[in-house]
Amino acid sequence: RTPAFVIRGLFAPFAHGRPVKVRVERQRARAQAQAFIEMPTVESAGAAVAAMTERPPQLVAGTSMAVEFSAFNEPVVEETEIDPSPVLIVAIHKEAQPVDIDLMHMLASRYGRVLRIAEFTNNLMRGDTMQRVTQFLIQFATTEEATTALMELHGRQIWRGCNELEVEFSRTMNLEQRPGNAKFRDFSVEVQAQAQQEMQAQGGNKAAIDTAKAAIDG
């Protein structure tokens, strides 16, 4: 489902600095999800609906969104949201093709510097059924990069018709390798090691050049 803060950001310009409440309904058996948005005034709600219905359906994190007035008149009670963090948790739904850490690193690196990735499996509810799902924890260098990746990747499919990405912020702020966890990569260490190797190679080349120059001069 689309994170509430993404939807709130779309409606905030019509609230002119006043609070916008959002509650995203969890998906059940139906294919569509829905969100209730409480605007500060009827006028601001009308302006938002008018603006969003005048143009084609908007894509929100890869999902088409239609806006209309609701008959629901009770105040919107927001769910407790996880604060944005540099770590994302990514679930792979409709997994028809294998996905590994290298592939997730390639996808995530488009939106920022990826420091660490851990892979694991978990049982998650999808509709009314429990499914065994592959998940990844991805740590970016900054929260801003993680936020960009979430907004770009959530709801997208790696291959057409399968391997759909569900992306959320994680409560984990820093990834650490647990003993026995082979499905973990620390890319920050790998980058440092590669940089050291390149520096050593450059130093060796310089030494060889200096030696050759001394031989010539001799």
Side-chain angles (χ1 to χ4, degrees), residues 101-213:
I101 288 178
D102 287 326
L103 177 56
M104 291 307 302
H105 180 258
M106 182 187 72
L107 294 174
S109 294
R110 298 174 182 176
Y111 309 105
R113 183 185 170 204
V114 176
L115 301 183
R116 301 170 189 89
I117 299 180
E119 178 184 349
F120 56 99
T121 56
N122 203 358
N123 292 320
L124 298 179
M125 288 296 297
R126 186 69 169 175
D128 292 328
T129 61
M130 183 73 72
Q131 298 180 5
R132 191 72 172 169
V133 173
T134 301
Q135 291 184 286
F136 295 87
L137 285 169
I138 304 175
Q139 181 177 354
F140 285 85
T142 67
T143 299
E144 290 74 18
E145 291 171 341
T147 302
T148 300
L150 184 153
M151 297 182 68
E152 292 294 332
L153 293 176
H154 178 73
R156 301 297 177 89
Q157 295 176 341
I158 301 177
W159 290 278
R160 182 175 297 179
C162 66
N163 291 65
E164 181 180 318
L165 304 177
E166 180 185 1
V167 188
E168 298 178 302
F169 288 115
S170 172
R171 288 185 172 87
T172 302
M173 298 298 292
N174 185 57
L175 293 184
E176 296 181 356
Q177 185 169 16
R178 297 179 181 178
N181 183 10
K183 294 185 176 182
F184 179 93
R185 292 273 296 278
D186 190 334
F187 294 95
S188 64
V189 172
E190 293 180 15
V191 170
Q192 290 174 3
Q194 183 179 357
Q196 276 188 330
Q197 290 176 355
E198 291 176 354
M199 289 178 63
Q200 290 172 356
Q202 291 173 359
N205 291 338
K206 184 178 185 302
I209 292 171
D210 290 343
T211 300
K213 182 178 179 183

Side-chain angles (χ1 to χ4, degrees), residues 49-120:
V49 172
M52 294 185 182
T53 53
E54 285 176 357
R55 50 181 180 251
Q58 196 158 357
L59 285 178
V60 182
T63 303
S64 178
M65 181 184 72
V67 183
E68 61 184 3
F69 281 107
S70 171
F72 185 75
N73 292 319
E74 296 297 322
V76 172
V77 179
E78 293 186 299
E79 294 179 288
T80 301
E81 291 187 75
I82 300 174
D83 291 333
S85 79
V87 181
L88 301 178
I89 182 167
V90 181
I92 312 295
H93 297 289
K94 302 178 184 177
E95 187 175 356
Q97 300 290 339
V99 181
D100 59 15
I101 288 178
D102 287 326
L103 177 56
M104 291 307 302
H105 180 258
M106 182 187 72
L107 294 174
S109 294
R110 298 174 182 176
Y111 309 105
R113 183 185 170 204
V114 176
L115 301 183
R116 301 170 189 89
I117 299 180
E119 178 184 349
F120 56 99

